[in-house]
Amino acid sequence: MKVAFLVAPEGVEQVELTSPWQAVQDAGGTPRLVSTRGGQVQAFNHLDRADTFPVDQTVAEATAGEYDALVLPGGVANPDFLRTDRGAVDFVREMCRAGRPVAVICHGPWTLVEADVVRGRTLTSWPSLQTDIRNAGGNWVDQEVALCREGPAVFVSSRKPADLPAFNRAMLEQFSRVAA
């Protein structure tokens, strides 16, 4: 199972990157850090700088065909940067159209909104995104994990770092179905 973790050069919420990453590794998968630029990405603990992580591949080099699944971590700045990058938005759209499962947490759904893939889909997120999701034609719910199978790509979504244990379990369950 090869999983793309798509993040901007800075602004990703560190625990929303590292916890699912470790879960994928522990399940025997291969996580790969994909970003809009090469080099390193700067993670954050809310608004404070945290660790940096090496980029494995730029989004310009990545294709949906080489990945089994996609993770979109949150952090306020991370998805805000991603949704303004045409390559990142196109990659997300390509992954969804290819039927790859997508796990998204916190503010991560902003990139899905920009890719125009939430219409008719049920998601949860950080509460401040509910209007954006609804305006994009999605159904927003306030729950620990939302699972949506209404499109070509299964969506697993969660609201916040406290939801990570349930998010990781649901994510791995959906990802293992594709890799089987």
Side-chain angles (χ1 to χ4, degrees), residues 38-152:
Q40 303 241 345
V41 297
Q42 175 67 61
F44 281 74
N45 291 322
H46 192 52
L47 298 175
D48 298 322
R49 286 184 182 275
D51 297 325
T52 59
F53 299 90
V55 172
D56 294 309
Q57 186 178 36
T58 65
V59 74
E61 301 163 333
T63 64
E66 64 190 293
Y67 290 101
D68 299 305
L70 172 64
V71 176
L72 294 170
V76 177
N78 175 54
D80 197 43
F81 287 133
L82 290 177
R83 69 183 177 162
T84 63
D85 184 280
R86 188 58 34 214
V89 172
D90 289 346
F91 179 69
V92 169
R93 188 179 303 112
E94 180 184 352
M95 291 290 287
C96 291
R97 287 183 179 157
R100 303 298 191 270
V102 177
V104 59
I105 188 165
C106 197
H107 288 78
W110 266 338
T111 312
L112 295 175
V113 166
E114 191 64 32
D116 194 25
V117 295
V118 302
R119 191 170 319 286
R121 308 299 301 275
T122 297
L123 295 151
T124 192
S125 67
W126 187 255
S128 64
L129 274 69
Q130 64 184 292
T131 300
D132 297 320
I133 290 168
R134 288 180 179 135
N135 285 343
N139 175 41
W140 185 84
V141 294
D142 184 12
Q143 54 195 53
E144 188 176 46
V145 175
L147 181 62
C148 182
R149 294 187 174 100
E150 298 302 316

